[in-house]
Amino acid sequence: GLGDVYKRQNPTNSIVYIAVKNDMIVSDVEVFNMEGHLMMRKHILEPYEIDMSGFIDGLYFIKIYSSSGIFGYRVILKK
């Protein structure tokens, strides 16, 4: 469930760290701006980090694809 994946550092200034519980594996992440435009799609390996340093300040939606399902979170980027 949603309690199995959580993000740290919100708001963030560049890097979003994704922590998972148990033996969950994260495979891919997508980052969308609040207009719904896909800003990043990437395959991800441990440690689960998303570098958002190239993005402008604002609110983003991160979709996380994992072995336990798909999870989504809002992240505030403020440099």
Side-chain angles (χ1 to χ4, degrees):
L2 284 176
D4 293 332
V5 177
Y6 58 96
K7 60 197 177 318
R8 297 180 286 187
Q9 285 189 305
N10 197 14
T12 184
N13 60 7
S14 63
I15 305 290
V16 174
Y17 301 95
I18 301 167
V20 298
K21 292 182 180 177
N22 303 323
D23 295 330
M24 183 185 298
I25 298 169
V26 174
S27 60
D28 295 282
V29 295
E30 295 175 338
V31 179
F32 298 87
N33 64 17
M34 282 297 102
E35 289 79 40
H37 295 111
L38 180 64
M39 305 298 291
M40 173 194 298
R41 176 184 289 144
K42 68 180 252 180
H43 183 70
I44 192 168
L45 302 171
E46 285 192 82
Y48 301 128
E49 301 176 355
I50 304 168
D51 184 355
M52 297 180 65
S53 60
F55 296 173
I56 62 171
D57 287 4
L59 185 62
Y60 293 88
F61 183 77
I62 297 177
K63 188 181 278 189
I64 301 165
Y65 294 85
S66 78
S67 57
S68 294
I70 301 171
F71 305 94
Y73 294 97
R74 289 189 178 101
V75 172
I76 299 167
L77 178 64
K78 186 174 181 182
K79 298 178 191 171

